[in-house]
Amino acid sequence: DTAVSQTPKYLVTQMGNDKSIKCEQNLGHDTMYWYKQDSKKFLKIMFSYNNKELIINETVPNRFSPKSPDKAHLNLHINSLELGDSAVYFCASSQVGGPTEAFFGQGTRLTVV
Amino acid sequence: GESVGLHLPTLSVQEGDNSIINCAYSNSASDYFIWYKQESGKGPQFIIDIRSNMDKRQGQRVTVLLNKTVKHLSLQIAATQPGDSAVYFCAERDTGRRALTFGSGTRLQVQP
């Protein structure tokens, strides 16, 4: 019944590694997002996809590469992880033309050591 | 640059009191303003939104007020309960963009 699900919930990894976070939504929405929440709780948009097409790509290092195999999935791959990448990453979805409400996943806490 | 910000980082209230959380914004192009609640270990959860051509909207125990003259947004929670303890974010949606710009958050602590 989970609307937006992310895996894993926790991810601890060493600097320099490559990791992926997966996201799936079962709401039938056409738009999905990745947000980053830093240690001060500030939430910032990273990427947005609409029907598998990238529509927002904020100033994010190109080590971050989103992939949307279909409109229900938006994965985030991160290469050469750095200490500063430690944060909570949230996936979200919404529907164009629908309510403003975006549904968020429970978050993935990434810790780079 | 454009920003959405909050005046108070932490608000502590007694159970049963009313709470008011404030937010200032600077992007006049926003068409909607939204309040989210984030409990510990969870993702943000939608509370209420208000369209830019309105100045007040009420929900269950919550009221959002929008003052476009001074670019100010507030969330009022009536009869605050312990379950209301969380971090509250205001957010704005720019016309044409689908992503939200979030403010820095206010932690609401409800004392029993």
Side-chain angles (χ1 to χ4, degrees), chain A residues 33 35 37 55 96 100 102, chain B residues 32 36 38 49 89 98 100:
Chain A
Y33 314 83
Y35 285 85
Q37 186 171 47
I55 56 173
V96 172
T100 60
Chain B
Y32 274 94
Y36 277 85
Q38 186 179 21
D49 64 2
F89 294 92
R98 300 189 185 101
L100 302 173

Side-chain angles (χ1 to χ4, degrees), chain A residues 3-41:
Chain A
V4 182
S5 59
Q6 300 176 225
T7 54
K9 183 166 181 172
Y10 299 98
L11 184 54
V12 181
T13 188
Q14 290 187 324
M15 279 173 48
N17 283 350
D18 304 338
K19 290 292 178 186
S20 292
I21 307 171
K22 295 186 176 182
C23 179
E24 176 183 6
Q25 55 95 4
N26 63 6
L27 298 164
H29 287 164
D30 59 4
T31 305
M32 296 185 72
Y33 314 83
W34 279 109
Y35 285 85
K36 179 180 180 180
Q37 186 171 47
D38 63 22
S39 59
K40 297 180 180 177
K41 296 285 192 183

